[in-house]
């Protein structure tokens, strides 16, 4: 029987328990120590099964020049045994909400949305749709990377073009 899955917000909270759990999680996925340390301040949302971290999102704030706005770039990782359980979908959806509310509380950050690059082969069947309205996230295709991976963006409801 699978333990109950719960989530905790880690964005800008310096939560020592979430950080320690995420570090173990990342090491188990094979990330090197330098990469792990770079991701710690980007930790956004954490999924737990008991006391074990089973999924995380990280967000790096940056500009998207093609749409002339500042966004968060999302990364999502889920433990292999928990993939195909919609965990990535829930982590991603909740990260959008976390960042949207943080953006409202921190207008000086000028954050307008949350973006990500599709790298997971599992999302290939969805890649044919330019708009994703799943789970009320509204991630839309805005372009491609030089390696031909899709870039998706969800605008925050309070976003305004300059």
């Amino acid at each position: 029987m699978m333990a109950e899955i719960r989530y905790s917000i880690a964005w800008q909270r310096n939560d020592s328990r979430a950080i320690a759990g995420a570090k173990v999680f990342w090491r188990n996925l094979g990330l090197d120590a330098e990469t792990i340390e770079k991701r710690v301040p980007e930790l956004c949302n954490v999924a737990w099964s008991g006391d074990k971290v089973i999924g995380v999102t990280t967000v790096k704030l940056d500009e998207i020049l093609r749409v002339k706005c500042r966004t968060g770039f999302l990364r999502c990782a889920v433990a292999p045994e928990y993939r195909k359980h919609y965990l990535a979908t829930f982590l991603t959806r909740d990260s959008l909400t976390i960042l949207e509310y943080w953006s409202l509380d921190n207008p000086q950050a000028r954050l307008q949305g949350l973006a990500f690059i599709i790298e997971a082969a599992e999302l290939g069947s969805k890649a044919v749709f330019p708009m994703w309205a799943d789970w009320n996230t509204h991630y839309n295709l805005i372009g491609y990377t030089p390696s031909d991976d899709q870039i998706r963006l969800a605008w925050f409801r309070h976003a305004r073009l300059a």
Side-chain angles (χ1 to χ4, degrees):
M1 181 173 178
M2 192 182 317
E4 179 181 344
I5 296 172
R6 59 188 175 72
Y7 302 86
S8 64
I9 298 171
W11 181 249
Q12 304 290 307
R13 294 196 174 173
N14 200 24
D15 179 334
S16 59
R17 186 167 177 265
I19 291 169
K23 285 182 173 183
V24 169
F25 170 78
W26 285 322
R27 273 194 301 276
N28 289 340
L29 289 181
L31 272 64
D32 61 79
E34 184 179 344
T35 301
I36 290 171
E37 289 308 315
K38 284 181 182 175
R39 291 192 183 175
V40 165
E42 301 172 351
L43 196 58
C44 180
N45 196 9
V46 180
W48 303 82
S49 178
D51 290 332
K52 179 182 175 186
V53 171
I54 58 170
V56 300
T57 59
T58 58
V59 174
K60 182 177 181 178
L61 306 183
D62 205 353
E63 301 282 332
I64 298 184
L65 297 177
R66 71 185 68 220
V67 292
K68 298 179 181 179
C69 77
R70 186 165 167 79
T71 67
F73 272 91
L74 178 84
R75 268 196 210 95
C76 183
V78 174
E81 65 272 22
Y82 286 90
R83 294 176 188 162
K84 305 211 185 291
H85 292 281
Y86 295 101
L87 192 58
T89 300
F90 297 138
L91 280 164
T92 300
R93 178 203 61 200
D94 293 349
S95 295
L96 176 63
T97 302
I98 291 164
L99 263 287
E100 185 169 20
Y101 282 103
W102 180 85
S103 173
L104 282 167
D105 289 341
N106 296 275
Q108 72 282 2
R110 302 178 354 269
L111 209 58
Q112 300 293 316
L114 190 62
F116 63 89
I117 296 170
I118 297 178
E119 296 173 341
E122 297 86 29
L123 294 175
S125 63
K126 286 183 66 174
V128 299
F129 299 103
M131 298 183 303
W132 293 354
D134 304 18
W135 304 97
N136 201 30
T137 57
H138 302 285
Y139 280 103
N140 296 306
L141 178 68
I142 61 164
Y144 292 85
T145 67
S147 58
D148 211 31
D149 294 322
Q150 289 187 357
I151 304 170
R152 297 274 173 164
L153 171 66
W155 294 99
F156 295 152
R157 289 171 289 197
H158 64 276
R160 298 296 180 266
L161 300 175

